[in-house]
Amino acid sequence: MVNPNFLKAPELASYNVRGNQPALGVDKLCYLTDTISDNGIWEEINPLESKLPTFIFQLAIVLFVTRLCLLLLKPLRQPHFAAELLAGILVGSIAIASEFARKHIPTLDSIFAASRIMMMETVGNLGLIYHVFLIGLEMDLRALTSVGPKALGIGISGALFPFFFGASLYTLIAEYPENFRWGCLYWGVALSVTGLPVIAEIFAKLKLLHSEIGRIAMSSALVNDFSSWILLVFSLAITSSSSSTYLSLFSVLFFIIFSIFVIRPALLWMLRKSIREGEDYSEATICAILTMALACGLITDICGVSSVLGAFVFGLIIPSDLLGHRFVLMVQGFVSDLLLPLYYASLGMRTHLGGISREDMLMMVLISLLSFIPKIVCTLAMSYFYRMSLHEGFTLGILMNTKGLLAVMTMSLGRDHAVMNEDGFAIMLFTIFFMTIVTSPIVNFLYRRTKKFLPSQHRVLQNLKPDSELRILTCIHEVQTAAGITALLEISHASRRSPICVFALQLMQMKKHTAALLIVHGASGTSLESYSRADGQIDQLITTFNNLEHQNPMISVQLLTAISPYSTMHEDICSLAEEKQATLIILPFHKRQTIHNNMEEMNPAYKDVNNNTLENAPCAVGILVDRGFGTLLTSKIDDDKTRSCRIAMIFIGGRDDREALSYALRMARHPKVSLVVLRFILDETSAQNGDADFSLTMESEDEGEAEKKADDIFVNEFRQKVQNDDSVVYTEEMSSNGAETVKTIRSLGQDFDLYVVGRGLGFFSPLKGGLDEWSDCPELGSIGDLLLTSDFSSTASILVVQHHAELNPGSSTSTDSILSYI
């Protein structure tokens, strides 16, 4: 039966303007408004007697403590959730439960008085509703269809077994009154929850998201998240009213069906009518979406379930690629950074830690440790069933214990339904916080990287077998750099004997609220998240690389998006190159050419990314300075002339130059490419008689002889390979110093489309004397920087190649199979 008091006007006490109840017989009444004059401090009126100034004080204090906790926990690689929850507990404990605060800071006691926190709780819950709506909006239900049986088993078992364990633990630790017996359901749901966004953030900071353990954990957490929502709905329906449990469940089920088949089509029609491609969303559209989120929350609240469920379902039914990440960015900062901390603060005010004794604290720690057991046990069992290693099973068990907002929200709903007392609420809230903060250190310890890649793991072009697949990892910051990179891949001569596998990695800066940080895009362009569709860049990249695959059947492309801070972006690049066993990493230069043939800087952070990658890469690295190479090459390939693309390779000496020559030789096999190799030979007599001190150019005489010997062997093998090839021209020039080298390079002219040079890391020679000191871009090496200078007449593109990062850059490589291609 429907509640007869539904929508009936409540009987509220009335007061006059002075806050006194009216006398008998008075008909006209008014409410206490707590107004304050505009004169502020110039009148003898306390601002804290008004609701709005009090709320502003509350907001400022909560935000300050939250930002302070975020700053303190950032070096420990703790997720934002842990810092925000800690801030809420600190604010609540200090303001409400601390006798010191009440005695020595009376203003603080006045601001957070029990009668003054109603507005803060209301605004905080409003932020919670919108935050849950955004979580649902960022989730993609299509991801559930691609979850494997391993992740499905771990996710479901990791929700059910902890649920029963938590419910049993609640009934065993203490004897609660009859009206608190249903608190076991909320304990069970809180222990069954796995925080998907929190796990993604932890993996992003540890650079493990794209590893095998990261993929399994993310898929399992996704399944677990949906399972926990189902358990929460059942718990809310049971505790709302024992006589209307089935009515609540059926009404929620009807709302979900109604949302899918009625609200969703109407919403799609409205969005497609009002949103035009490439245009911003109108104010009316944004207002309508935000209002509908509140309306859906109101419906589920009326049905006897929490309003957050309606907002979450409304976010789920909206296709992620329709609104995309732009809409999330428009709302996220205001909701999650400004309003949501108020919700955590209201939770902290419900957590009275001031009266907790040492025995109670020991009980909290014991329960926190026991709470790890169910997920670890069930994850180890599923890992054994699917023949995973014990190490991976234990790590997954630890990760599945990571909590998030859903666990905290569950405990708050238990308090709101009056089925849990203060002790049970405080114990589980502490357990949630403890289980979250210990996850990151444990996983970091289990997967710590205490050493760099071993030299045996380094892959270089020189050692690539003739019939081996060439794996190239290309990095793209901006879509404009894709044309030059695809042109370089086009002339890299993919053949049936030696095909090319390209991993095109789009690099994006990580924002705070990113959920998925490594996205694999299919051929159709769909992805698990919509983040990478910002500004439509991913659609352009998909089209570009699809065209490359269609034009070259021997080139296969896998498009990925990595989202991380610029300071650690090189770790994503290097670890992905190691996982994919790439032989070459191609990076775009941090400057691009303008219409006036000048070079302008795109983003200073790109230079840092390139430098860090050069220092840590497990394979060869190439930096491409694109001066219209993509557009130029397209026109030349379409031309009927053979060998229309001209490449010059400048060989000074050293392992970087040998690696660059290997790649240049591979490109020379393309039918449209002609190669000119210019090797400089040191005139030792002139060098020793000149100003340069030849004895100081090498770290040791033996080392210099070893490098020279390796160069001679390598070049001799190269000349034997191309002696009958008319597309390759080899010349030698004598030089005694850097000035003569520069003069010879200038004489090459402007007939080349691409220069290929080695970076020259760790190789010292009088041939480059004085050039290193004047280098503006050390990542290009002295020769690459020379070709880039404005006084150099050529405007050809430049490819600078580095062998690989090594602890001893001056050591020579093995001369066995120096030139194995061809």
Side-chain angles (χ1 to χ4, degrees):
M1 180 178 180
V2 179
N3 184 6
N5 296 321
F6 178 63
L7 296 182
K8 182 179 178 180
E11 296 181 359
L12 300 176
S14 300
Y15 301 87
N16 59 20
V17 291
R18 298 183 180 275
N20 301 322
Q21 291 188 352
L24 295 176
V26 178
D27 296 331
K28 294 183 179 180
L29 305 175
C30 56
Y31 296 103
L32 181 65
T33 57
D34 282 354
T35 58
I36 187 170
S37 63
D38 295 335
N39 293 329
I41 62 174
W42 311 116
E43 298 287 341
E44 294 182 359
I45 299 177
N46 184 4
L48 298 181
E49 293 181 358
S50 179
K51 290 185 174 63
L52 181 59
T54 302
F55 173 74
I56 294 175
F57 272 111
Q58 293 171 348
L59 180 62
I61 293 173
V62 170
L63 293 181
F64 173 77
V65 177
T66 301
R67 290 297 162 182
L68 182 62
C69 291
L70 287 170
L71 183 63
L72 294 177
L73 294 183
K74 184 177 180 180
L76 302 178
R77 294 187 175 182
Q78 291 296 331
H80 286 80
F81 165 74
E84 292 169 345
L85 180 58
L86 176 61
I89 295 175
L90 290 177
V91 171
S93 301
I94 294 175
I96 299 298
S98 176
E99 293 294 337
F100 177 83
R102 293 188 177 188
K103 184 179 299 184
H104 296 84
I105 314 177
T107 303
L108 190 63
D109 183 41
S110 176
I111 293 175
F112 291 100
S115 59
R116 298 289 185 177
I117 63 175
M118 184 62 69
M119 181 181 292
M120 188 182 71
E121 286 191 350
T122 303
V123 177
N125 280 277
L126 181 66
L128 174 66
I129 292 174
Y130 279 129
H131 183 78
V132 173
F133 159 68
L134 294 176
I135 290 177
L137 183 63
E138 288 185 307
M139 283 189 177
D140 194 345
L141 292 176
R142 293 172 297 181
L144 290 175
T145 60
S146 60
V147 172
K150 185 188 304 182
L152 188 65
I154 294 175
I156 295 178
S157 63
L160 295 179
F161 186 46
F163 175 79
F164 293 111
F165 180 87
S168 303
L169 186 63
Y170 179 86
T171 59
L172 292 176
I173 61 172
E175 295 182 1
Y176 292 107
E178 183 68 18
N179 57 330
F180 288 152
R181 71 183 188 277
W182 290 116
C184 63
L185 297 177
Y186 294 90
W187 266 43
V189 175
L191 290 186
S192 68
V193 168
T194 297
L196 176 61
V198 180
I199 286 183
E201 187 178 353
I202 291 175
F203 271 125
K205 293 179 178 179
L206 298 179
K207 300 305 174 185
L208 294 172
L209 189 64
H210 53 271
S211 62
E212 183 65 21
I213 188 72
R215 284 189 286 265
I216 297 176
M218 290 294 293
S219 301
S220 302
L222 181 63
V223 176
N224 185 280
D225 215 16
F226 279 97
S227 303
S228 300
W229 272 101
I230 296 174
L231 293 175
L232 178 60
V233 170
F234 276 96
S235 300
L236 289 171
I238 292 173
T239 56
S240 60
S241 176
S242 58
S243 59
S244 60
T245 299
Y246 294 106
L247 291 177
S248 297
L249 289 177
F250 282 122
S251 60
V252 169
L253 181 61
F254 176 78
F255 167 75
I256 295 175
I257 296 175
F258 182 81
S259 300
I260 296 175
F261 294 101
V262 178
I263 298 180
R264 176 185 167 93
L267 183 64
L268 295 181
W269 176 81
M270 181 191 72
L271 292 176
R272 288 168 180 167
K273 182 180 179 181
S274 59
I275 300 176
R276 296 294 183 263
E277 184 177 358
E279 297 181 359
D280 294 333
Y281 307 106
S282 64
E283 295 181 0
T285 301
I286 297 175
C287 182
I289 293 175
L290 297 179
T291 304
M292 292 177 68
L294 292 179
C296 291
L298 176 63
I299 293 174
T300 53
D301 190 73
I302 293 174
C303 294
V305 188
S306 175
S307 57
V308 295
L309 177 64
F312 180 70
V313 172
F314 181 68
L316 284 178
I317 64 175
I318 302 178
S320 59
D321 55 350
L322 187 60
L323 290 180
H325 193 69
R326 277 193 301 170
F327 177 82
V328 176
L329 285 179
M330 294 168 65
V331 184
Q332 188 77 267
F334 177 76
V335 170
S336 300
D337 292 335
L338 189 67
L339 302 185
L340 194 61
L342 296 176
Y343 174 74
Y344 289 111
S346 64
L347 288 179
M349 293 177 183
R350 297 184 177 190
T351 310
H352 302 293
L353 299 178
I356 294 179
S357 61
R358 181 177 300 178
E359 291 75 13
D360 295 334
M361 186 61 68
L362 292 177
M363 177 63 69
M364 286 185 177
V365 176
L366 178 61
I367 293 176
S368 301
L369 296 176
L370 290 176
S371 300
F372 277 95
I373 295 177
K375 282 187 180 287
I376 293 177
V377 170
C378 66
T379 305
L380 285 175
M382 297 302 297
S383 301
Y384 176 79
F385 179 78
Y386 287 105
R387 298 181 178 179
M388 296 173 59
S389 65
L390 181 64
H391 181 266
E392 290 183 343
F394 180 75
T395 305
L396 278 175
I398 295 295
L399 287 168
M400 296 298 287
N401 278 292
T402 304
K403 304 303 176 186
L405 178 62
L406 181 58
V408 172
M409 187 177 62
T410 299
M411 301 309 301
S412 178
L413 292 174
R415 281 293 304 274
D416 292 341
H417 284 72
V419 295
M420 187 181 303
N421 63 359
E422 293 181 358
D423 292 339
F425 178 81
I427 290 175
M428 185 49 63
L429 197 64
F430 175 81
T431 301
I432 292 171
F433 175 73
F434 178 78
M435 297 175 72
T436 302
I437 62 174
V438 302
T439 300
S440 182
I442 294 177
V443 176
N444 190 29
F445 173 78
L446 294 175
Y447 279 85
R448 66 187 186 278
R449 296 174 180 174
T450 58
K451 59 182 179 179
K452 293 186 176 182
F453 301 111
L454 297 176
S456 60
Q457 295 174 305
H458 288 141
R459 290 169 297 277
V460 291
L461 293 166
Q462 301 173 40
N463 299 333
L464 188 67
K465 296 181 180 179
D467 55 350
S468 297
E469 178 186 56
L470 175 60
R471 290 173 168 250
I472 301 178
L473 174 62
T474 64
C475 302
I476 302 170
H477 292 286
E478 299 182 8
V479 69
Q480 293 83 356
T481 61
I485 291 177
T486 53
L488 185 65
L489 296 172
E490 168 75 21
I491 62 173
S492 295
H493 188 53
S495 62
R496 188 178 301 274
R497 187 185 184 193
S498 180
I500 296 178
C501 180
V502 178
F503 301 97
L505 182 63
Q506 183 191 20
L507 299 173
M508 301 183 68
Q509 184 183 14
M510 187 182 75
K511 307 296 182 181
K512 171 189 171 183
H513 304 286
T514 304
L517 296 111
L518 184 75
I519 308 164
V520 181
H521 305 277
S524 61
T526 60
S527 67
L528 297 183
E529 296 291 337
S530 60
Y531 188 104
S532 59
R533 291 188 174 274
D535 301 328
Q537 286 194 10
I538 190 60
D539 296 325
Q540 300 180 41
L541 293 178
I542 290 175
T543 302
T544 300
F545 284 98
N546 280 345
N547 293 335
L548 178 65
E549 282 187 301
H550 293 325
Q551 297 172 3
N552 301 271
M554 294 298 104
I555 298 180
S556 60
V557 180
Q558 184 179 13
L559 189 60
L560 308 98
T561 298
I563 308 170
S564 60
Y566 287 129
S567 59
T568 59
M569 194 171 284
H570 66 281
E571 297 180 14
D572 283 332
I573 299 173
C574 296
S575 57
L576 189 62
E578 180 66 20
E579 180 190 355
K580 301 299 183 181
Q581 297 184 352
T583 305
L584 177 64
I585 299 174
I586 298 179
L587 301 170
F589 190 50
H590 68 279
K591 295 181 180 180
R592 61 186 170 193
Q593 189 177 29
T594 64
I595 57 176
H596 303 293
N597 292 330
N598 297 322
M599 301 299 293
E600 66 174 4
E601 196 167 38
M602 293 185 289
N603 190 333
Y606 298 166
K607 181 176 182 179
D608 297 332
V609 173
N610 290 349
N611 289 332
N612 292 332
T613 304
L614 289 169
E615 293 176 2
N616 299 276
C619 60
V621 181
I623 297 181
L624 177 62
V625 182
D626 185 13
R627 291 174 165 178
F629 185 62
T631 305
L632 180 64
L633 183 66
T634 302
S635 61
K636 291 202 172 187
I637 288 181
D638 294 337
D639 191 0
D640 294 334
K641 297 180 181 179
T642 60
R643 310 295 179 183
S644 56
C645 178
R646 300 196 61 194
I647 298 177
M649 193 278 150
I650 301 174
F651 190 94
I652 302 294
R655 57 177 189 157
D656 291 348
D657 283 25
R658 296 194 292 269
E659 190 72 3
L661 183 56
S662 298
Y663 193 34
L665 179 58
R666 181 178 182 107
M667 290 188 287
R669 297 308 173 192
H670 193 280
K672 292 288 185 178
V673 174
S674 62
L675 174 64
V676 174
V677 178
L678 173 61
R679 183 190 183 187
F680 285 91
I681 304 296
L682 178 63
D683 188 352
E684 299 185 8
T685 303
S686 300
Q688 291 176 350
N689 294 333
D691 296 333
D693 189 352
F694 180 72
S695 62
L696 298 177
T697 58
M698 293 293 180
E699 294 183 359
S700 68
E701 186 175 345
D702 294 338
E703 182 178 323
E705 290 297 328
E707 284 289 347
K708 186 176 183 303
K709 181 179 179 181
D711 290 340
D712 293 338
I713 296 175
F714 186 86
V715 172
N716 290 335
E717 289 189 5
F718 165 79
R719 298 181 67 179
Q720 292 178 4
K721 297 291 184 181
V722 301
Q723 58 181 352
N724 297 324
D725 191 346
D726 297 335
S727 64
V728 180
V729 177
Y730 174 82
T731 60
E732 293 182 351
E733 292 288 342
M734 301 292 293
S735 177
S736 59
N737 52 50
E740 294 183 6
T741 302
V742 172
K743 182 179 179 181
T744 305
I745 294 176
R746 290 181 186 276
S747 64
L748 291 177
Q750 305 183 31
D751 296 334
F752 297 102
D753 306 310
L754 177 68
Y755 283 98
V756 180
V757 298
R759 185 188 178 195
L761 179 65
F763 181 77
F764 307 95
S765 171
L767 295 172
K768 302 185 297 181
L771 298 181
D772 293 330
E773 290 77 4
W774 297 96
S775 179
D776 294 330
C777 301
E779 67 271 24
L780 299 181
S782 55
I783 303 300
D785 184 76
L786 170 67
L787 296 172
L788 186 64
T789 54
S790 58
D791 56 345
F792 192 74
S793 58
S794 176
T795 57
S797 299
I798 308 166
L799 178 65
V800 181
V801 181
Q802 176 183 285
H803 188 262
H804 61 64
E806 204 173 51
L807 294 179
N808 182 15
S811 61
S812 60
T813 57
S814 173
T815 57
D816 296 335
S817 302
I818 289 180
L819 197 63
S820 54
Y821 180 71
I822 305 174

